[in-house]
Amino acid sequence: MKSIKIIVAVAFMVLISSFAINQVGNSNSDSGYAIGDAATDFKLRNIDDSFVSLSDYPEAKGFIIIFTCNHCPYSVAYEDRIIALDQKYKSQGYPVIAINPNNPKAYPEDSFEKMKERAASKQFTFPYLFDEDQTIYPIYGATKTPHVYLLKKENNALKVKYIGAIDNNYKNALKADQKYVEDAVGALLSGKAVPVETTRAIGCSIKS
């Protein structure tokens, strides 16, 4: 009888421990990435109807992942700056990968067909991917458009080095005196620590 009670007690403790571990795992997943985390790869449809993964860029040193969209005025205000980031850093190993995380049922302007039109109109120089099932942005923890995740390849992993805004003035690029993404990429290219690792992303909430 005593041995049965011990077995039951042990089984109960194992169950509680398993539940606790699952809760911790779910909590980390729900909150998204922090600085130093290893980011997941993905396979999302690009505006040319191909599928793009980060593994398609074996020569890249890292990536400037930007969750953005068509309709948000903040995203629109940053489009030229996003193109400039890609043009400046792609040849240095840090290409821009833009991802639209929005549900087009909430905003038809963010549909895949409208993405194609917007990219052609603005002559995007980078992939513009559609998170159609809305599975990638929650993993990363993106909440706004635009929302930046700067990744660096380290030991066969993509480590998160910066999270947040592009700069400190969405209204006027000329008045932005803190260029967070440029400073972060420049530091990585120089082998230095990123000076500002996190900032608050300013933009529209992602529409589910």
Side-chain angles (χ1 to χ4, degrees), residues 98-118:
I99 302 174
N100 172 16
N102 281 342
N103 181 354
K105 292 182 180 178
Y107 273 88
E109 187 64 23
D110 291 332
S111 71
F112 188 59
E113 291 304 315
K114 292 293 185 180
M115 287 172 60
K116 292 181 177 182
E117 293 175 11
R118 188 66 186 176

Side-chain angles (χ1 to χ4, degrees), residues 64-206:
I64 305 170
I65 307 293
I66 304 180
F67 292 90
T68 186
C69 68
N70 290 352
H71 89 273
C72 174
Y74 295 87
S75 292
V76 172
Y78 273 112
E79 283 176 333
D80 289 339
R81 278 172 273 184
I82 293 172
I83 294 170
L85 284 171
D86 185 59
Q87 291 176 332
K88 182 174 183 177
Y89 292 116
K90 179 163 54 182
S91 62
Q92 300 182 64
Y94 282 88
V96 165
I97 306 291
I99 302 174
N100 172 16
N102 281 342
N103 181 354
K105 292 182 180 178
Y107 273 88
E109 187 64 23
D110 291 332
S111 71
F112 188 59
E113 291 304 315
K114 292 293 185 180
M115 287 172 60
K116 292 181 177 182
E117 293 175 11
R118 188 66 186 176
S121 172
K122 292 295 297 186
Q123 297 184 327
F124 285 173
T125 59
F126 45 81
Y128 189 20
L129 312 181
F130 189 27
D131 189 6
E132 187 171 7
D133 296 328
Q134 296 192 300
T135 56
I136 300 304
Y137 87 80
I139 295 174
Y140 275 70
T143 60
K144 303 290 184 182
T145 53
H147 205 153
V148 180
Y149 290 77
L150 175 59
L151 311 181
K152 180 187 177 185
K153 286 185 179 179
E154 287 184 353
N155 301 321
N156 297 318
L158 293 168
K159 294 299 184 69
V160 180
K161 296 297 183 178
Y162 171 77
I163 302 172
I166 293 172
D167 57 37
N168 67 339
N169 195 320
Y170 83 90
K171 293 181 179 180
N172 189 333
L174 297 177
K175 292 184 178 181
D177 56 8
Q178 295 184 56
K179 300 183 179 182
Y180 307 119
V181 174
E182 286 194 41
D183 290 346
V185 178
L188 294 180
L189 288 171
S190 300
K192 300 177 181 178
V194 172
V196 178
E197 295 181 327
T198 60
T199 60
R200 186 166 66 94
I202 304 296
C204 304
S205 61
I206 292 175

